[in-house]
Amino acid sequence: MSTTSTTRIDPSRRSNGVLAAFSTVCLPLAAFGVALPVTLPEYYASHVGIDIAMVGYVFMAVRAFDIAADPLIGAAMDRTRTRWGRYRPWMAASAPVLMLAALMIFVMVKPGAGPLYLFGWLLVLYLGFSVGTLSQLGWASVLAPQYDQRSRVYAWWQAFNIIGVIAILILPAAIVQTGVGDYVAGVHIMGWAIIVALPLTISLALAVVPEPVNPGETPHGGLKAYWDIIRRPTVARLLVADVLLGVAPGITGALLFFFFDQIKGYDRTAASIFMLLYFIGGLAGAPIWAKLAGKVGKDKALAIASLIFAVLYGVATLLPGGSFVLTGAAMFIAGLPYAAGLFLLRAMMADAGDEVRLETGVDRTALMFSILSATTKLGHVFALIPYAVLGWVGFKAVAPAGGNSPLSLTVLQVMFVALPTLLIAAAAVVLRRYPLTPARHDEIRRQLEARETA
């Protein structure tokens, strides 16, 4: 299939092979996605030796720069016109940037490195990560325009994201358990795995997967266009839900090792296994929510999944420690709804992009995904606030002989258990009366196809 800028969208069903090749890029990107909120903050606090509160401040500061850059990247992608497509050149460009950042962040850093080192290389990593993820999300949106098929594309995308997360979580634990190296060696190998996987997976996607291009006028406008999109009722609900569903797992990831170590009495290896089971549950559950979305609509499926998620997470984290098997089973079950928000919200934003294109004649898909990416990252920024709070109440990443104070441990429990439970449940409330129903989207697609035919 041609990938020139004049190519019209082929509405045919994409083969599983094409979707699998496209989704392999998720493997290294997902490894970054779990390392940034989970592995790296804890690693830089406990091994590199940066104060835990300072780690939180650095990550939040870099996120602020990154969030500001996302709309600029998205707008530039929407304006891109090349014979290779709109998003493919951007994805190719992200590979060397991410490889260099991974080398410096995971492998080359030494104990004693300061906050400026962390800030500088995190900024490079986040900007490369934004380019890679936004180009992939935009590319996914044009692979299948139909309501149900779009859910399928993003379900594949999310499945490979979870596989990438599982693989990168297994690595450090496997290194320690097999005696190949210690925790530090595991983090180094995590970085090398990402460096090797990036060019391989991106090359495969570029070679195998076509990129249809939506017809439409060249995007125009600056901040006004950005604001016009944000204030649309459809988009506004998606963004609020994304913040809520981003903060909740972000808090879980940021505090998981501390919670299971100092509250439940499990070591880092056991905590890694619990997190692994949680993500395996998410992988197992993804097809359930994709099928439910086809039956009741993406918005209702996501609301149902969010309510179930809140209940299961609360139960799993309140179980007493001491039984590895019981805790592991509970974490697996709690992870079953995990994937729903991640892929359904992105499929819903692609649907909203069709609505914008119908009403304005302009394809702003990349800009819209950059806005969604910004709210996701904003959620991750909020998720790091507990690091600062723990610093204020005297919590230590490496506890002294007497352990942390009762106050700091109570604060840790409240932030790890109560906050995510409430935030996930709130997302279901936000999605009530969501306006872009399956019937409405079908009508939008009919009008777009009629316009393009004419």
Side-chain angles (χ1 to χ4, degrees):
M1 179 182 292
S2 171
T3 56
T4 65
S5 60
T6 58
T7 302
R8 295 296 181 95
I9 286 182
D10 179 4
S12 62
R13 187 179 188 271
R14 298 294 176 187
S15 71
N16 290 338
V18 166
L19 295 184
F22 173 79
S23 301
T24 57
V25 182
C26 295
L27 299 176
L29 293 181
F32 277 124
V34 73
L36 286 169
V38 179
T39 306
L40 292 178
E42 193 269 347
Y43 180 74
Y44 273 77
S46 63
H47 174 71
V48 179
I50 302 176
D51 178 74
I52 186 172
M54 179 57 68
V55 170
Y57 294 141
V58 170
F59 270 81
M60 286 190 285
V62 174
R63 280 294 195 186
F65 279 97
D66 186 37
I67 289 170
D70 271 354
L72 301 177
I73 296 171
M77 285 183 185
D78 283 335
R79 289 178 168 85
T80 299
R81 300 289 189 275
T82 76
R83 64 190 183 91
W84 297 287
R86 182 172 298 168
Y87 304 111
R88 288 151 59 96
W90 288 88
M91 179 171 285
S94 71
V97 177
L98 288 172
M99 292 168 69
L100 175 61
L103 180 68
M104 302 307 295
I105 285 285
F106 289 89
V107 181
M108 301 303 293
V109 64
K110 305 296 182 186
L116 287 179
Y117 181 97
L118 177 61
F119 177 87
W121 286 111
L122 267 184
L123 186 59
V124 174
L125 192 158
Y126 272 120
L127 290 176
F129 186 69
S130 291
V131 172
T133 53
L134 288 177
S135 59
Q136 194 191 28
L137 288 169
W139 192 354
S141 72
V142 299
L143 281 177
Q146 304 100 322
Y147 187 85
D148 291 341
Q149 285 302 308
R150 187 166 275 159
S151 297
R152 177 170 165 264
V153 170
Y154 285 97
W156 271 89
W157 172 85
Q158 184 55 42
F160 271 76
N161 267 301
I162 296 177
I163 292 171
V165 168
I166 292 170
I168 212 66
L169 288 175
I170 288 174
L171 265 181
I175 295 302
V176 174
Q177 291 299 306
T178 57
V180 173
D182 57 9
Y183 170 65
V184 175
V187 173
H188 289 174
I189 292 174
M190 181 186 293
W192 282 117
I194 293 171
I195 292 168
V196 171
L198 276 165
L200 294 178
T201 57
I202 289 177
S203 297
L204 176 63
L206 294 175
V208 173
V209 185
E211 186 199 323
V213 177
N214 284 325
E217 299 176 15
T218 302
H220 53 82
L223 290 176
K224 183 178 183 301
Y226 190 83
W227 175 246
D228 287 344
I229 291 173
I230 291 176
R231 69 181 183 178
R232 300 177 70 90
T234 302
V235 175
R237 285 175 182 258
L238 295 180
L239 298 181
V240 174
D242 190 57
V243 170
L244 295 171
L245 293 174
V247 174
I251 291 174
T252 300
L255 302 182
L256 182 134
F257 289 116
F258 300 136
F259 177 80
F260 279 108
D261 175 24
Q262 304 203 29
I263 302 299
K264 300 297 186 181
Y266 296 107
D267 61 16
R268 183 183 281 112
T269 300
S272 296
I273 294 173
F274 294 147
M275 184 161 53
L276 177 63
L277 291 169
Y278 177 80
F279 286 123
I280 292 174
L283 180 61
I288 298 172
W289 311 114
K291 289 181 180 179
L292 183 62
K295 293 182 179 299
V296 302
K298 300 186 186 83
D299 56 317
K300 290 183 175 62
L302 181 53
I304 293 169
S306 298
L307 291 175
I308 294 173
F309 195 8
V311 172
L312 294 178
Y313 178 85
V315 170
T317 53
L318 287 173
L319 287 175
S323 174
F324 179 88
V325 173
L326 178 61
T327 302
M331 291 299 290
F332 172 82
I333 295 171
L336 289 172
Y338 163 74
L342 295 169
F343 80 87
L344 287 177
L345 279 173
R346 279 139 191 85
M348 292 163 74
M349 184 60 82
D351 295 340
D354 290 337
E355 183 180 54
V356 169
R357 188 156 61 95
L358 176 65
E359 295 180 7
T360 66
V362 177
D363 183 9
R364 297 194 184 276
T365 302
L367 179 60
M368 294 177 70
F369 275 116
S370 75
I371 298 171
L372 186 63
S373 176
T375 56
T376 300
K377 292 172 182 176
L378 190 61
H380 291 164
V381 170
F382 293 150
L384 288 167
I385 291 176
Y387 266 54
V389 175
L390 288 175
W392 296 337
V393 297
F395 182 86
K396 301 296 182 183
V398 180
N404 281 300
S405 68
L407 172 62
S408 64
L409 294 178
T410 299
V411 171
L412 174 61
Q413 292 180 78
V414 169
M415 289 191 298
F416 188 84
V417 179
L419 276 183
T421 301
L422 293 173
L423 291 168
I424 294 167
V429 177
V430 169
L431 291 169
R432 291 183 64 225
R433 299 190 180 92
Y434 180 71
L436 189 49
T437 62
R440 168 61 181 155
H441 185 262
D442 288 345
E443 177 59 28
I444 289 171
R445 289 303 314 172
R446 281 193 292 271
Q447 293 184 44
L448 282 173
E449 288 165 9
R451 176 192 295 175
E452 291 163 12
T453 300

